[in-house]
Amino acid sequence: MLAGKKILIGITGSIAAYKIPFLIRFLKKQGAEVQILMTDFATEFVTPLTLSTLSEKPVLTDFFDKGDGSWTSHVDLGLWADLFLVAPLSANTMAKMASGIADNLLLTTILSARCPIYFAPAMDLDMYKHPSTQNNIATLKSFGYKLIEPVEGELASGLHGFGRLEEPELIFEVLKKALLGKKPFEGKKALITAGPTQEPIDPVRYIGNRSSGKMGVEIALALAEMGADVDLILGPSAIKVTHPKIDVVHIETADDMHQACMQRFPDSDITVMAAAVADYTSTQVSKQKIKKDTELSTISLKPTVDILATMGTQKTEQQVLVGFALETDNEVENARKKLEKKNTDLLVLNSLRDEGAGFGVDTNKVSLLYANGKQIEIPLQSKQEVAVTIGKSIEAILNPVDS
Ligand code: CTP
């Protein structure tokens, strides 16, 4: 089943390294090619001889072969692999991966790899729970690396808790799925907007809103994970996005967002407008800072272009268009009107009345309104979960099942 698939396995210093020979056997039995990379410390836990015998390839730990003076190219290794698994991943190597340190062959190869990277941590429960480890896991996930979570159980220290490396049979299943499964949005282009816009009044002040960009960024990540090539048009936001399948375009004003979107919309299969776009902008932007003693009692405004509504007039049958609505009263009625007026296939309704929903929080409570009249209430979920739900709804719109 895995004939022709090339897998790099990076082993770091953890007692759980004893599970990797089993994983190699499973992969080899299915016809995969396996190349083992080890840190020096890992060689204390499982012998390179065992691993090279099972993988039928010399185990690599060093850049240089001390015998004949040749060297191993981390770039070639990184380009060779269809998938790179780091397992077991120690807290130390994890921290180095999160900060881009490249002081051994394994770490350097990670930086060169273009294939999907999976990581399976194994460590004592307190090390796993430590904020630095949790921050590093979040950083690795933000690079698009996939976490194979450790499980709960008895640990080498004698303590009981989370930190045990997942069993090799289950790691094998994850890898098999990753290597064989086609992602639902592969070959599709997605255009996502996120964050607020800022409409300048003078070089110092602007009219803005409270959007953090979290919801839209999570949608961009979810669609990228489902295989789409994503253009993320992001208003001023503190969130950093570094996913290999996401191109981030930073913009400031509603007009910048309009231009960035309209350039890309004709080629986009899926468009999700999660940004909180200013409806009005200042008619005049002062070149100098407006001084306090200037008699300024009003700011004159003009409407911005409704980007979503413009897209709604241009959308083809093949394109899926998703809008957001933030309402405080007559929520469903207003949202349904918005869906019809802006010609969207799906409208995600947030009500600021719901606790845990709205700006700056990690959760959201939304209703999904479909163009065919269907409506689904989603219970309070993390914004990440809501994003996955939206991704699945888009998938269902693209591939309707006849009932
Ligand atoms: N939107 C847009 N361009 C604008 C304003 C809004 O593309 N100039 C998009 C938003 O990204 C969102 C949807 O339109 O997907 C709804 O935005 P919202 O502000 O809730 O609705 P408005 O149409 O602006 O109506 P109102 O503010 O009166 O509720």
Side-chain angles (χ1 to χ4, degrees):
M1 259 169 119
L2 296 180
K5 300 290 179 196
K6 303 184 189 81
I7 299 155
L8 275 176
I9 302 182
I11 308 177
T12 76
S14 155
I15 179 64
Y18 80 86
K19 294 183 178 177
I20 301 306
F22 297 97
L23 177 63
I24 299 172
R25 271 183 62 86
F26 298 145
L27 291 167
K28 290 288 294 177
K29 264 194 187 164
Q30 298 276 336
E33 266 189 79
V34 179
Q35 173 65 62
I36 301 293
L37 297 175
M38 295 177 93
T39 61
D40 277 342
F41 206 19
T43 62
E44 302 287 336
F45 290 97
V46 57
T47 74
L49 182 62
T50 308
L51 300 167
S52 62
T53 308
L54 290 170
S55 65
E56 298 176 291
K57 278 184 195 295
V59 166
L60 303 171
T61 47
D62 246 325
F63 290 102
F64 308 104
D65 184 316
K66 290 181 181 111
D68 65 4
S70 63
W71 77 294
T72 305
S73 164
H74 54 91
V75 177
D76 290 347
L77 279 171
L79 295 179
W80 171 83
D82 295 312
L83 187 147
F84 193 162
L85 166 74
V86 191
L89 175 59
S90 65
N92 180 46
T93 297
M94 182 192 287
K96 289 182 178 181
M97 278 167 67
S99 51
I101 292 174
D103 63 358
N104 62 37
L105 181 62
L106 192 162
L107 287 161
T108 314
T109 309
I110 286 172
L111 293 181
S112 301
R114 290 193 189 162
C115 60
I117 296 180
Y118 283 69
F119 64 107
M123 62 195 75
D124 213 40
L125 79 162
D126 294 306
M127 291 174 84
Y128 189 67
K129 274 195 303 202
H130 195 281
S132 65
T133 303
Q134 290 302 314
N135 281 344
N136 290 334
I137 289 176
T139 305
L140 295 186
K141 281 164 85 175
S142 77
F143 297 163
Y145 299 178
K146 319 257 179 336
L147 169 67
I148 301 178
E149 266 187 283
V151 289
E152 195 180 352
E154 197 184 326
L155 300 164
S157 60
L159 296 173
H160 186 97
F162 278 98
R164 267 173 77 103
L165 181 70
E166 181 54 281
E167 292 308 317
E169 290 83 349
L170 292 173
I171 297 182
F172 172 66
E173 286 306 321
V174 172
L175 302 193
K176 203 166 75 179
K177 205 165 155 212
L179 286 161
L180 298 178
K182 188 172 177 291
K183 296 187 169 176
F185 293 158
E186 229 159 73
K188 300 243 178 274
K189 273 180 164 288
L191 171 63
I192 318 287
T193 63
T197 62
Q198 292 180 351
E199 308 304 318
I201 298 166
D202 71 11
V204 183
R205 287 79 165 221
Y206 60 83
I207 303 168
N209 62 66
R210 293 180 194 277
S211 168
S212 65
K214 255 184 206 149
M215 192 63 248
V217 167
E218 288 296 349
I219 293 169
L221 289 168
L223 299 199
E225 285 301 309
M226 291 172 86
D229 290 306
V230 179
D231 280 334
L232 173 64
I233 317 298
L234 181 61
S237 163
I239 305 175
K240 298 220 166 10
V241 187
T242 48
H243 192 288
K245 285 184 81 75
I246 304 180
D247 270 340
V248 187
V249 179
H250 294 277
I251 57 90
E252 197 177 298
T253 65
D255 187 43
D256 299 340
M257 185 167 275
H258 175 229
Q259 290 184 29
C261 284
M262 295 325 291
Q263 252 176 31
R264 292 164 178 82
F265 180 65
D267 293 331
S268 159
D269 301 293
I270 302 163
T271 302
V272 184
M273 302 294 283
V277 190
D279 290 326
Y280 288 90
T281 189
S282 177
T283 49
Q284 273 188 332
V285 181
S286 168
K287 285 205 168 61
Q288 279 82 38
K289 184 182 169 199
I290 302 168
K291 299 298 285 177
K292 197 167 33 209
D293 48 16
T294 318
E295 284 289 308
L296 182 75
S297 54
T298 53
I299 296 171
S300 145
L301 300 173
K302 60 178 181 197
T304 58
V305 176
D306 190 323
I307 311 166
L308 179 60
T310 311
M311 288 170 168
T313 63
Q314 299 181 1
K315 159 174 116 67
T316 64
E317 278 292 300
Q318 288 71 40
Q319 288 179 301
V320 175
L321 184 57
V322 182
F324 268 70
L326 182 70
E327 305 289 342
T328 52
D329 45 68
N330 294 331
E331 290 96 333
V332 174
E333 198 188 319
N334 284 336
R336 183 117 335 250
K337 272 192 205 144
K338 230 170 245 182
L339 179 147
E340 279 159 22
K341 202 174 96 198
K342 303 198 187 196
N343 191 27
T344 67
D345 299 287
L346 179 68
L347 197 116
V348 183
L349 166 63
N350 288 282
S351 166
L352 268 192
R353 282 204 237 174
D354 288 319
E355 206 168 309
F359 297 125
V361 288
D362 285 328
T363 50
N364 207 356
K365 187 164 179 301
V366 302
S367 309
L368 301 182
L369 276 63
Y370 291 77
N372 65 6
K374 194 167 84 174
Q375 182 178 332
I376 300 177
E377 307 297 329
I378 311 292
L380 188 72
Q381 288 183 333
S382 69
K383 285 189 172 164
Q384 193 181 10
E385 289 166 328
V386 174
V388 171
T389 306
I390 293 170
K392 286 185 180 153
S393 305
I394 296 170
E395 190 186 350
I397 293 172
L398 280 169
N399 309 303
V401 200
D402 295 330
S403 51

